[in-house]
Amino acid sequence: KTVDDAAANMLHGSYLLDGADVQVGTCCNRWYDKMQVIVCRDGTAGINFEHSSIDGHTALRFVSDIFAETVVNFAQSITKGIYGKGHIPHVVDAPVKRAALTLDQENQPKLDVFPKKLQFQFPTTVLDRIYFAETALGDEIVASDTVVLEFKRFGKLLIVSNKMSPDSFVQMSMLLAYYSLYGKIVCTYEPVLTKQFYHGRTEAMRTATPQAKHLCQVWVDQKKTTTSAEKLAALRKATAEHSRLVKEAAAGKGVDRHLFALNSIANRNGMDVPPFFRSKAWKTLNHTILSTSNCGNPSLRLFGFGPVVPDGFGIGYIIKDTALQYSVTSKHRQTKRYVNTLERTLLEMENLLQPINVVKVDDAPQRRQSLKEVSRTVVLTEDDDAYGDIWGESTSIAKQAVDQPKTGKKFTRYFPFVKRQKSLRGNRLTKVGQDVELKD
């Protein structure tokens, strides 16, 4: 029906009763303890998976390969008449031999692969437990609210051109929206991948830093005395601090997983648990009001999950080149109102950013010059963000200064790098800050 309904259907299924009050919604067609591929009649598809066994980026890899292979098959169907079969390679080199086409000596299929309906015979006690499980599930679904925000005014490219991390920028937008609506700084959680370690999964990043608090207070200024320049400066400091802590967490320098492991070891071995794990600070840290996660690429339209506490929000988001996708869930909270506030916050943040197509040029006399006469210098600084290796985003920034000595003309432009060590027209950036001369 709507994008909100589609997101809710993939998350927990639909709730629908027939005339006899029997549940006939798609919630009965879900394996909530497994990873399930969901395909609807209109062709939309999604993945529902239980989080304890895998992380979002594991499922994302699976979905991405399926999506990319579909594109490859389509491209092959177009080009096979020109180049023949196999001109475009598959995403995964995994030849498939269909069992239904494997014949025996009598030219009959070796395996009967056609689907058959299974008839189950259950005792009344089992049927009762299934029914009660369904009614309990119905309560959870009715209490849940899912609202989608597909913000298309700007995305990663504009944020990167303004020298900020897209992930940090989005994190600040969610915190600002909550503060604007409720006037509170609350516990916020973001998982950071630790895949660089053997068996690594995630570490926790806490967005509610002192710099983020200052940003919220400056942003929601009741006296209206804060200037746009002050807001932008506070935003830059908050995103920079967030980026720094994310890098520490990705390097295994977080504290949440370490403390959780110590607490678990003590409980399992009957040891005395330190008073810290019963303190208000520990309880506040583990009562996450804003549970957030960034997971996506061009193969996905939406990504989301439910809140982790009864009074919290679950926010899954995808950062695209020219759009930001949010899927927000809660139980008995003002989800739609929060999403509306989030949209207004993004519009306010956009007003502080420099448009991506603005290039400053001085008034020096101009002379047409061939590209071979232009000397270019590429400079990478320690402030350049490197989220590309963590989130799969090309968010690190290179600043390119183009000088024309004969005219004295100079201008500056920005463009994204995927990795710091990426080859650049046969030259390689071997260290931060190295000058690279480009040959045309």
Side-chain angles (χ1 to χ4, degrees), residues 25-40:
T26 59
C27 63
C28 295
N29 184 21
R30 297 288 185 270
W31 297 92
Y32 296 103
D33 61 334
K34 298 175 175 62
M35 187 172 79
Q36 180 179 7
V37 179
I38 303 168
V39 182
C40 303

Side-chain angles (χ1 to χ4, degrees), residues 8 23 87 104 139 173 290 312 398:
Q23 182 63 254
H87 184 75
D104 58 17
D139 284 341
S173 72
L290 293 179

